[in-house]
Amino acid sequence: MDQKRRNTEMKVIEGKRHRVDFPRKDHREEFSAEVASPVQTYERKEEVREASPEADLSTGRTVGYVGLVLGIISLFMWSVILGPIAAVVGYYAYNKGSRTMGAWAIGLGVLATLSYFILIPFVR
C-alpha cells in the first residue's frame, strides 16, 4: 500500500513538478475518452419533403370514404368485425382533416357494434 501511495505523489525534480503515476503501469484501465480528441459525427442529410396540405386533405378524404363505406356495410353484416374497423378508420380520417366523413364513419361503426350487442339476445 505504501508503494502505491509513493507512486502517486508528485516529485519535484530541478524546480519542476514531475508526476510519477503517469503513465499508469500498475492499473489496466482505459482512459482514452479523457485523452482522445473529440470525434465529429456527421449526420446524413436527407431531402426533407414537406407534406402539402392538399396531399393530407386528399388522404383524409379517401380514408373518410373508406370508413364511411365500412360503416354502412357494418350495419348489415359482420357488425362486430366491420364496426370497430370503421370507427378506427374514421378516427384516422378525422385526424387527417376529413372531419365530416370521419365523424360519420366513427358514428356508424359504433352504432353497428352497439346494435349487435343489444340485438343479439333477441336472435337466439
Side-chain angles (χ1 to χ4, degrees), residues 36-93:
S37 63
V39 177
Q40 293 182 353
T41 58
Y42 296 101
E43 294 182 18
R44 237 174 61 190
K45 295 184 181 185
E46 297 178 9
E47 183 178 322
V48 178
R49 291 187 295 170
E50 294 183 23
S52 63
E54 296 86 19
D56 283 342
L57 188 59
S58 173
T59 303
R61 189 177 302 136
T62 305
V63 173
Y65 280 122
V66 170
L68 189 62
V69 168
L70 284 173
I72 292 170
I73 292 173
S74 70
L75 290 173
F76 300 105
M77 62 185 230
W78 299 337
S79 301
V80 177
I81 298 170
L82 293 180
I85 293 173
V88 169
V89 171
Y91 180 74
Y92 182 74

Side-chain angles (χ1 to χ4, degrees), residues 100-120:
T100 307
M101 298 274 199
W104 274 100
I106 291 170
L108 289 174
V110 169
L111 178 72
T113 306
L114 290 179
S115 68
Y116 174 80
F117 288 117
I118 292 171
L119 296 176
I120 196 68

Side-chain angles (χ1 to χ4, degrees), residues 2-14:
D2 204 24
Q3 179 70 17
K4 282 187 177 182
R5 186 179 301 157
R6 197 169 352 138
N7 285 342
T8 60
E9 295 175 358
M10 292 196 158
K11 293 183 179 179
V12 179
I13 299 174
E14 296 177 9

